[in-house]
Amino acid sequence: MATPQHHGDQYGRLFIEETGWYNEMLLSVVLPGDWWRVLPHLVQSWLRNCIGVYLMYFIIGFLWCFVIYHWKQHDYVPKDSIPTVEAVKKQILVASVSMPFYTVLPTIYEYMIESGWTQCFFHISDVGWPMYLVYLALYLIFLECGMYWVHRELHHIKPLYKHLHATHHLYNKENTLSPFAGLASHPVDGILLAMPHVVAPFLFPTHFRTNVALLFMEAMWTANIHDCIHGKVWPVMGAGYHTIHHTTYRHNYGHYTIWMDSLFGTLQKPEDIFKED
């Protein structure tokens, strides 16, 4: 099995230059002046991650709410399933308070990569396209398994549920869920659920840019699975499944697919609910 060949400090410098470029690209646009340039690289990276997540959260959330609740409301969401403005405000408040803490995790993760502690590789050519795809498949499988078990234990271990995950499950009906609910969690809860993204590069080679992209795509995915629209795309764990999770508390712990729930007997299909009704 091919593995990436790192070249000491020079190779590690590529990661620092890459994250520095991310910092420059965002912070120079959204922040006035150059005051942020004197901040340590680690602080700049956290500031960039924090601002980036806020931007993604609000842009995606407001656009998606506009489409499904106003522009196409009769096509996607029944009138009695549209969340109240008050519910959405509370979700935004909880998420806004938590996001500065959420973004500590990817910032520390980047530091570990820059320090050469992980098996991250920079160029796909370091391993070749076939092995890149193999490693990506391993990453996604590990992610699916890891997030399933973390999520399930957040429900089954009572102190974790009471003090962490219950915050997210305040939204337990269709008319309380919205695209803004995805990140409306206790900050430690969100960090625990994201941990598989960080652990994976320690276990097997991971392409850095792909990993960063997937980590921040979580913002889009969590918005999608909380909009109560059942997409019916097998084997995707879409909003139809996740809405059931919020109403029963004991089904559909998976993140991207239904495979883990199918394997461990925790799957409940939206079609089965409709049959019962």
Side-chain angles (χ1 to χ4, degrees), residues 2 9-10 56 88 131 193 195 215 217 219 221 239 259:
D9 293 340
Q10 185 177 0
M56 291 182 68
V88 172
M131 291 312 304
L193 284 167
M195 281 300 294
L215 186 59
M217 279 178 62
W221 183 247
W259 291 332

Side-chain angles (χ1 to χ4, degrees), residues 148 151-152 155-156 169 237 241-254 261 265-269 273 276:
Y148 172 86
H151 192 183
R152 182 167 172 171
H155 278 266
H156 288 212
H169 274 274
M237 177 69 73
Y241 291 95
H242 198 70
T243 301
I244 291 172
H245 171 74
H246 272 265
T247 56
T248 71
Y249 298 84
R250 62 184 185 274
H251 299 99
N252 304 348
Y253 301 106
D261 285 285
T266 53
L267 182 68
Q268 185 167 63
K269 299 178 182 179
I273 297 292
E276 292 174 7

Side-chain angles (χ1 to χ4, degrees), residues 30-232:
V30 301
L31 295 179
D34 292 335
W35 59 269
W36 56 270
R37 296 183 192 277
V38 301
L39 298 174
H41 176 74
L42 189 66
V43 178
Q44 287 187 30
S45 295
W46 170 79
L47 191 59
R48 175 254 301 166
N49 286 331
C50 192
I51 293 173
V53 169
Y54 274 114
L55 288 174
M56 291 182 68
Y57 177 74
F58 284 108
I59 291 171
I60 294 168
F62 280 117
L63 283 176
W64 199 230
C65 284
F66 171 74
V67 170
I68 64 177
Y69 299 144
H70 297 283
W71 185 22
K72 298 285 186 178
Q73 63 171 303
H74 299 298
D75 297 333
Y76 296 124
V77 182
K79 188 175 181 180
D80 58 358
S81 295
I82 296 176
T84 64
V85 173
E86 190 63 28
V88 172
K89 285 182 179 178
K90 289 180 180 178
Q91 291 163 16
I92 291 174
L93 178 61
V94 172
S96 296
V97 170
S98 296
M99 278 189 276
F101 300 96
Y102 290 154
T103 49
V104 170
L105 182 66
T107 305
I108 294 175
Y109 163 70
E110 288 177 17
Y111 174 78
M112 292 188 292
I113 293 172
E114 293 165 358
S115 301
W117 298 350
T118 71
Q119 296 193 59
C120 269
F121 59 93
F122 193 82
H123 301 291
I124 294 177
S125 59
D126 292 336
V127 298
W129 276 99
M131 291 312 304
Y132 165 77
L133 295 175
V134 170
Y135 292 138
L136 177 60
L138 289 172
Y139 177 94
L140 293 173
I141 292 169
F142 177 81
L143 194 66
E144 191 66 26
C145 295
M147 295 187 82
Y148 172 86
W149 282 109
V150 171
H151 192 183
R152 182 167 172 171
E153 294 311 307
L154 282 167
H155 278 266
H156 288 212
I157 300 175
K158 292 183 179 180
L160 291 181
Y161 183 83
K162 179 180 178 181
H163 298 292
L164 298 180
H165 201 54
T167 300
H168 185 60
H169 274 274
L170 291 173
Y171 317 109
N172 57 8
K173 299 177 182 177
E174 288 191 8
N175 61 1
T176 62
L177 288 166
S178 82
F180 286 109
L183 295 181
S185 304
H186 188 288
V188 177
D189 182 25
I191 288 172
L192 288 173
L193 284 167
M195 281 300 294
H197 281 283
V198 176
V199 174
F202 285 90
L203 302 179
F204 37 78
T206 306
H207 182 238
F208 177 63
R209 289 177 179 172
T210 301
N211 188 223
V212 170
L214 288 171
L215 186 59
F216 278 88
M217 279 178 62
E218 290 290 339
M220 291 183 277
W221 183 247
T222 54
N224 175 267
I225 62 174
H226 290 88
D227 64 12
C228 298
I229 301 172
H230 183 31
K232 301 180 183 179

